[in-house]
Each structure stands twice: as C-alpha cells, then as structure tokens.
Amino acid sequence: MSDRILLKEQVPDELGQKRLDQVAAIVFPEYSRSRLQSWIKDGYLLVDGVSVKGRTKLIGGESLTVDLEVEPEGEWLPQDIPLDVVYQDDHIIVVNKQTGLVVHPGAGNPDGTLVNALLFRFPDQINVPRAGIVHRLDKDTTGLMVVARTLKAHAHIVEQLQEREMGREYEAICQGVLTGGGTIEEPVSRHGNNRLKMAVHPSGKEAITHYVVLKRFQNHTHIRLKLETGRTHQIRVHMSHLNYPLVGDPVYGGRQRLPARISPDLQKQLRSFGRQALHAKALELVHPETLEQMEWEIPLPNDMKSLIETLDSESHNYDFD
C-alpha cells in the first residue's frame, strides 16, 4: 500500500533570487524542510519539469512540481492490541496509552507496540513517517498521545513541538513532601555509565519542567507537571534530581524505602506499584488542518487513583500548609 503526492505551485516573483530549498519551504509549508530537501536531492521536486540542486537560485515565475509514490517506511505487523482512541478525524488520532505498551518497535520490542496497534485499526498509517508517531511516552507511563494521519499533519505537529507550542501536562505521585511548586531547568543527556538511563549533566540538552503541588500527604506528594521541552525520561530525571523521585520508578527511584509507621494496606500498595506513577493527563494543540485550538483531558488510571485514596486516608486530613 502506498500514497501518492501531487503538488504544483508557481514561484511568486517576490521570491526571486532565493534558493530552491528556501522557496520550497515557503510554497509547500505543510511539509518539513528535511522532507523537501530529500525530494529535491532525489529528483522528485522539479523546477519547470527539471531536477536541479537545492542551492540553485530561482528568478520567480517557475513552476514547482512534486509527483511521487510514498512507500511504506517499515515492515511492521498490524496487531489487534486494545487501543483507547479518545479522538479521531482524517488528520489526527488522540489515544490514551495504557501501561505496559511500548510506543514504537525497536530492539527488544519488535512488535506488540502502539505502532502495531495503530496499523491494525488504521492501516493507512503505514504511509506516514513512523506510522504517525510524533512524540512518545515511556512504556509504563499512561495517558494522552497525538498521532498524525497525513504528511501535512505530521509536519505541522512536529513544528508545534519544536516551537514549544503544544501543551502537555502530567500528574504524578512522588516520594517525599514538596513544600511548593517550581520550575526545574536542568540539562539532560544520556547517562555516562548506563546507556539505558538519562541524567542531569551540564553538557546535556536544555530541559525545562514546571510543577505545582496538588496534594501533600504524610510522606508523598501528588503533583501536576507541564513540559516546556520533551527530553527522554525528562520528568523522571528531573524529579529524581530534586530528590523527589516518582513512586514505583524502577530506574530513577532508587531502592525503595518504605516510610515508618504506615498501614499494612499502604505498605502493600507501595510494594506492588509496579511502574512509575506518571500519567499524561492533558494535551493541547492547534489542529493541523482547521487551525482550531483543541484540548483533551482524561482521568487518572485506576492504580494511581487507588494509591492517592489510600495516601489521603492515611494522612487523616492532616494540614501540611
């Protein structure tokens, strides 16, 4: 299965003396610069029917055309995996990802992923880069993700992410009692000794996380977080850096130490909480076709709700302010 792209635009006179790759980005704004450059290089984007180099200067009035078949990017297997679709139209899909679901096939996870689930329910996703995946959630993080259904939507959403225009808010339960909210601005890079981990490091990429306190308990805090950047494991790394790691985090939480004088019920819940207590609760973006501002918010999953109820009961309505 493949998808055909047919484009034709005339170069405005005012864009004369600009390079082809610069003009293409202006007249075909729905496609990413890297994609346009690859079309120019491969001879799919023509100037008056002729293939030229991207640095070629135009004079204005030329006809730019694209005619190509978009071949599927991968040989991923469609699989009938439960998928909670919150919203869908011809341009985007918004899903509520369950815990335990890897987003994209890779080493150690060749199938059984969100991509495989998407291809079963939406077969045409094979024609979109990475089956439409534009951002990720960790395997055991639950919540909202947007998936692009067309090349235009893909480029538009990626641009929103790069320009930090997409709103992503999370809720989490962390160890320790935070006194108030704040902003964490600490660069994040791959861990020096463990390639499966990330870490705060001066040479890392810029990473900014905002957080507010929703509820304090005797030994834990329910928080809401907003990402300004989207680094791998960003929230988990930042909260661990503050010495308030997320409950159940097997990578950044350290060795679990149960607080003293807690009930057997809470002990059991904390011991058995088998994932990081992190949920992508709200998502906001500009629709790539209608340009309408859209937003979604979903409840916490049952495991986090149950833990919060137990923590609240254990705290006996103690006033921490």
Side-chain angles (χ1 to χ4, degrees):
M1 185 184 298
S2 62
D3 193 20
R4 191 167 191 181
I5 296 177
L6 294 169
L7 304 173
K8 185 174 182 178
E9 290 288 345
Q10 186 173 20
V11 178
D13 291 338
E14 61 268 25
L15 295 183
Q17 298 307 306
K18 286 186 177 294
R19 294 166 30 146
L20 169 59
D21 52 5
Q22 296 172 325
V23 173
I26 296 171
V27 300
F28 300 127
E30 63 268 35
Y31 298 100
S32 68
R33 287 177 180 268
S34 61
R35 182 170 295 277
L36 291 168
Q37 287 169 349
S38 71
W39 288 348
I40 294 170
K41 181 180 178 182
D42 295 338
Y44 292 121
L45 200 163
L46 305 178
V47 181
D48 291 332
V50 178
S51 175
V52 301
K53 293 183 178 180
R55 63 175 178 268
T56 301
K57 286 190 176 182
L58 305 182
I59 61 174
E62 296 95 334
S63 175
L64 302 188
T65 57
V66 176
D67 183 353
L68 79 156
E69 297 281 341
V70 180
E71 295 300 326
E73 280 209 357
E75 297 180 359
W76 304 308
L77 179 69
Q79 291 177 303
D80 188 5
I81 299 168
L83 194 60
D84 181 7
V85 176
V86 176
Y87 174 85
Q88 70 179 85
D89 60 28
D90 292 338
H91 310 280
I92 60 173
I93 304 163
V94 177
V95 300
N96 176 18
K97 190 187 85 65
Q98 63 265 40
T99 185
L101 186 64
V102 173
V103 169
H104 198 280
N109 296 285
D111 56 20
T113 70
L114 176 61
V115 163
N116 302 104
L118 285 166
L119 292 176
F120 182 87
R121 186 156 173 179
F122 307 98
D124 287 346
Q125 291 301 118
I126 196 66
N127 297 314
V128 188
R130 307 186 76 80
I133 300 297
V134 290
H135 64 121
R136 300 192 184 201
L137 294 177
D138 297 336
K139 174 184 177 182
D140 291 324
T141 298
T142 55
L144 293 169
M145 288 183 60
V146 61
V147 178
R149 301 198 69 180
T150 66
L151 288 172
K152 177 180 178 180
H154 188 275
H156 196 281
I157 295 170
V158 167
E159 183 180 9
Q160 289 185 61
L161 283 166
Q162 291 173 342
E163 298 298 323
R164 303 181 184 180
E165 294 171 347
M166 183 184 293
R168 291 168 292 164
E169 294 194 7
Y170 296 71
E171 287 192 17
I173 307 166
C174 67
Q175 301 178 45
V177 183
L178 283 160
T179 57
T183 296
I184 310 167
E185 296 188 54
E186 296 288 352
V188 171
S189 68
R190 190 67 60 181
H191 193 283
N193 300 320
N194 184 344
R195 303 304 293 173
L196 299 178
K197 292 178 66 173
M198 307 298 288
V200 166
H201 193 277
S203 65
K205 295 181 178 179
E206 180 187 30
I208 303 172
T209 306
H210 307 281
Y211 64 96
V212 295
V213 172
L214 296 179
K215 179 77 175 180
R216 299 183 190 91
F217 306 109
Q218 283 181 314
N219 303 286
H220 300 82
T221 312
H222 179 196
I223 56 177
R224 185 133 177 167
L225 308 105
K226 184 170 185 177
L227 288 182
E228 192 167 320
T229 55
R231 308 303 174 203
T232 300
H233 300 176
Q234 179 174 317
I235 289 174
R236 299 165 63 189
V237 171
H238 271 173
M239 294 311 298
S240 178
H241 181 72
L242 285 189
N243 293 319
Y244 293 93
L246 303 189
V247 166
D249 193 330
V251 178
Y252 303 101
R255 186 173 149 196
Q256 180 170 244
R257 294 191 178 98
L258 294 178
R261 298 186 299 278
I262 62 173
S263 70
D265 184 29
L266 182 54
Q267 285 187 40
K268 181 179 178 181
Q269 275 197 269
L270 289 172
R271 288 186 191 278
S272 63
F273 205 93
R275 69 178 186 97
Q276 60 270 8
L278 181 62
H279 177 67
K281 196 169 193 300
L283 177 68
E284 183 178 0
L285 56 82
V286 175
H287 192 280
E289 184 67 25
T290 67
L291 302 183
E292 173 189 0
Q293 191 79 22
M294 302 186 75
E295 54 186 67
W296 300 267
E297 184 160 341
I298 52 173
L300 290 173
N302 289 334
D303 59 352
M304 287 181 65
K305 284 196 293 188
S306 177
L307 180 56
I308 288 170
E309 289 169 1
T310 303
L311 289 169
D312 195 36
S313 174
E314 194 91 351
S315 296
H316 303 297
N317 297 317
Y318 182 81
D319 186 0
F320 290 92
D321 292 322

